[in-house]
Amino acid sequence: MAWFLIALAVMLIGGLLSVAIGRCAKSACLVGMASAVLGSGVVMFVSLGVLVSGHTQSLRLAWPLPLGSANMTIDPLSAVFAATIALVTMAAAVYGSQYLRWRHDRRPLLPKKDDAVASPRPLAEDGQRGWAVSPRVARSTRDENHPESRKNLGVSWFFFNLLAASMLLVVAASNGVLFLVSWEMMSLASFFLVTAEDDKESARRAGWTYLVAMHLGTAFLLALFVLLGNGSTSLNFEHFSTAGVPSSSILLLLALIGFGTKAGLVPMHVWLPEAHPAAPSHVSAVMSGVMIKTGIYGLLRTLTFLGPPPPAWGWTLVVVGVASGVLGVLYALSQHSLKRLLAYCSVENVGVIAIGLGVGLLGIAYRHPIMATLGLTGTLLHVINHALFKSLLFLGAGSVLQSTGAGDLDRLGGLLKRMPTTGAAFLVGAAAISGLPPLNGFVSEFLIYFGAVSGLTTRANLLPAWPLMSVLVIGGMALIGGLAAACFTKAFGVVFLGEPRSEEAANAREVGAAMRASVVALAALCLAIGLSAPVWPRAIQPAVATILPPMDPATDVVAVAVGPLTGVVLGSYVLLALIVVASLVRRRLLATRPVERTVTWDCGYANPTPRMQYTASSFTRPVTLLFRLLLQPQDDVVSPTGFFPKLAAIRTSTPDLFQRFIYRPLFAGIVWVASRLRWLQEGRIQIYVLYIALTILVLLIWKLR
């Protein structure tokens, strides 16, 4: 544990040094990146050592706070999350070292044929305007009046390193007070990163929405820990008990709301599509890739305190997971902004994780070893896999934003020719998140499928709900997978294929080496995990054993799933070999023949234009109409009139129904009530002291009754 603490200290000291030298953008980025990478590398070494050996590392530190000591423990479950956090942090830090300097130094774009005149172009991240830079223009001067040019980059690095350190401390804490303090540090650090562009009203709104959601979730967690520590003089995890609680289901409900808010489960997800697009892209990668997974970690850790789960817990998580997965991907399908699309896909994948956890709990409740083991194994593997491909996709979106200055899907197109490395890496991430072999997303989803299918073949439990719920899991996962494939066909096709829909897309160029290296490394990991699929279920079994009670299975449960996975991997190797051979044969055949380029088949049009291509809305229009009862899409139509109409247009939007019909009316009601109670704010200190005294008196009477 000493090395773990040293790693956290390196991150925090590096962040402080970045603040001190923050006016020198290059030095601040170098120090911030180096400290994040070095600290994360040490955490990776410690975590993998724990996971391989299976030995837990612990540390007890005395502190002046009540309710126990500052206890930290890294067991196999903590190690899985800590290693994932460290890996994504390293990739995001390397990427951010170049991305942040671009945001700091971005200059007016010079026209393509006249390098003497500068002109602004829209920076369409969440619909805002600003200045964008083209890598083609390297000698233009920085706009000193732009807000980004006056910022201390060290502040951003400090909060980035603080976010990474606090996430690691959350998964290592084994005391309730330390856990909640680390949880609040994580929320505050990410709040300041989300509001980094505080000159934008959208960023400020997203930041406050996020902060309110996090503190509401923390209130439920505080109640959870108080109930678990009831009757004990400390909040150390080893002293937690359910003895003083009427029902453990109350504790699960508190944990599901508190941790589910951070994870982005429906209906607590409304902060997520606001905060992720507002944050810088490397921060979005960390928040979506690993920060929301601390909610999953908290839920898993809480389950270890609550004892054997009743079947209702599994049913609840399955239903919540299916709802989150289906609604998340449907809302993603209807988005016009690339980063908002990716944010809603985080809701979808957290839903998949919840389904896997529900399958595991059902297996435990019904004493079904295969279902329990494979459900929990798929859950933990999907935590890792989603962290990799979602970070890759957000970093790819950031590269598109840097190169084009546009985040609106309908202003992009044709980027694969201009950004081949970024486009290829984004394609790998899109295939992985769709669950296609031989990539990592397939491995974890396959294990969850396999666990659910095992429930259909069991003879030990003939309850009517058993096959029904198994069908619900399989049907829900299949629907989520199909919609995800449609969603990322749209995302990749509209952004990277076809012809440029705007001048910004036409002038795009590949991003810098550090940014390319990060996305290529993550894409390689997605492919490597998929091609070594049989190894990973066994590799994380020590972490699964932390949650799984002894069940004495008659067979090697992991081997049941490793066999089919091995067959898929071997088939993938054969397919890849055939692709390589076909490519070599094609190159050889074309080496001596003239190769000409012409326009795409144009349906009889003499002069096809990019406006004739599918837009993001038109591509997914049939699907959104199919689910219009759930989505309630809104259309703004300008119909053609006359024999020779000059104008016709349609604009679609799909507002989040939970925000529209639940949260906005709720908070509007709270504001109305607060305005009616404004008379309580007299503005005199004596009145406020009286309020405090009356509150203390009421509490004493209640306590001594």
Side-chain angles (χ1 to χ4, degrees), residues 51 86 145 239 512 528 541 607 637:
L51 193 59
N145 294 322
H239 296 152
Q541 281 312 295
N607 185 23
V637 181

Side-chain angles (χ1 to χ4, degrees), residues 472-491:
L472 175 62
V473 171
I474 297 167
M477 290 281 290
L479 179 60
I480 292 168
L483 292 174
C487 179
F488 281 92
T489 301
K490 158 189 160 176

Side-chain angles (χ1 to χ4, degrees), residues 50-261:
V50 170
L51 193 59
V52 171
S53 65
H55 298 309
T56 299
Q57 296 188 20
S58 301
L59 180 66
R60 294 178 179 268
L61 296 175
W63 63 356
L65 296 179
L67 301 175
S69 54
N71 296 349
M72 285 175 278
T73 303
I74 299 182
D75 61 3
L77 180 61
S78 298
V80 168
F81 284 86
T84 306
I85 292 169
L87 181 60
V88 172
T89 298
M90 285 192 287
V94 173
Y95 183 96
S97 64
Q98 195 165 49
Y99 181 79
L100 280 179
R101 287 180 60 192
W102 162 72
R103 291 171 70 91
H104 183 268
D105 296 334
R106 61 191 182 197
R107 309 170 176 89
L109 175 70
L110 301 185
K112 185 174 182 181
K113 296 183 180 180
D114 183 6
D115 286 346
V117 180
S119 63
R121 60 175 174 170
L123 177 62
E125 183 171 3
D126 197 22
Q128 301 297 317
R129 290 185 63 86
W131 294 97
V133 66
S134 170
R136 174 179 55 82
V137 184
R139 61 180 181 275
S140 58
T141 58
R142 186 176 67 188
D143 178 13
E144 296 294 344
N145 294 322
H146 192 278
E148 291 291 335
S149 300
R150 301 191 298 270
K151 288 185 177 179
N152 184 334
L153 280 189
V155 175
S156 180
W157 280 109
F158 170 74
F159 286 117
F160 181 85
N161 285 11
L162 180 62
L163 173 61
S166 57
M167 287 190 295
L168 292 169
L169 202 53
V170 162
V171 301
S174 57
N175 172 269
V177 176
L178 179 61
F179 184 96
L180 290 175
V181 169
S182 306
W183 190 266
E184 281 295 286
M185 287 171 53
M186 175 176 62
S187 298
L188 290 174
S190 49
F191 165 76
F192 286 110
L193 290 169
V194 167
T195 57
E197 294 188 355
D198 53 7
D199 56 302
K200 297 180 179 179
E201 194 276 334
S202 61
R204 296 193 299 271
R205 183 180 66 249
W208 287 116
T209 301
Y210 169 68
L211 197 63
V212 169
M214 292 305 101
H215 280 84
L216 287 175
T218 303
F220 284 90
L221 297 184
L222 181 60
L224 170 68
F225 287 152
V226 168
L227 291 176
L228 283 171
N230 188 27
S232 174
T233 58
S234 78
L235 289 181
N236 294 339
F237 285 178
E238 64 266 23
H239 296 152
F240 278 175
S241 170
T242 62
V245 183
S247 172
S248 297
S249 297
I250 297 174
L251 300 177
L252 180 72
L253 180 62
L254 291 173
L256 191 59
I257 297 175
F259 292 120
T261 302

Side-chain angles (χ1 to χ4, degrees), residues 374-440:
L374 295 186
L376 294 175
T377 303
T379 297
L380 288 178
L381 269 180
H382 206 70
V383 166
I384 300 170
N385 293 335
H386 176 257
L388 295 177
F389 56 65
K390 183 48 70 67
S391 301
L392 164 61
L393 291 169
F394 264 114
L395 296 183
S399 298
V400 170
L401 176 65
Q402 174 182 339
S403 185
T404 65
D408 189 346
L409 292 172
D410 291 330
R411 297 185 63 83
L412 300 170
L415 296 186
L416 189 59
K417 297 177 183 177
R418 296 159 179 81
M419 305 174 66
T421 303
T422 300
F426 194 95
L427 179 60
V428 170
I433 199 173
S434 301
L436 300 178
L439 298 165
N440 59 341

Side-chain angles (χ1 to χ4, degrees), residues 448-527:
I448 297 173
Y449 269 117
F450 205 109
V453 169
S454 68
L456 290 173
T457 60
T458 183
R459 295 179 179 273
N461 300 281
L462 299 179
L463 297 176
W466 182 263
L468 177 63
M469 190 56 65
S470 296
V471 171
L472 175 62
V473 171
I474 297 167
M477 290 281 290
L479 179 60
I480 292 168
L483 292 174
C487 179
F488 281 92
T489 301
K490 158 189 160 176
F492 181 79
V494 173
V495 174
F496 290 98
L497 302 181
E499 293 298 323
R501 295 174 175 81
S502 64
E503 183 183 353
E504 295 94 330
N507 292 333
R509 299 292 185 273
E510 190 60 272
V511 294
M515 297 171 70
R516 293 200 308 272
S518 296
V519 296
V520 168
L522 290 173
L525 285 173
C526 290
L527 183 60

Side-chain angles (χ1 to χ4, degrees), residues 555-581:
T555 60
D556 186 352
V557 173
V558 178
V560 173
V562 166
L565 274 177
T566 303
V568 173
V569 170
L570 291 177
S572 300
Y573 278 115
V574 172
L575 178 62
L576 291 175
L578 290 175
I579 292 174
V580 171
V581 171

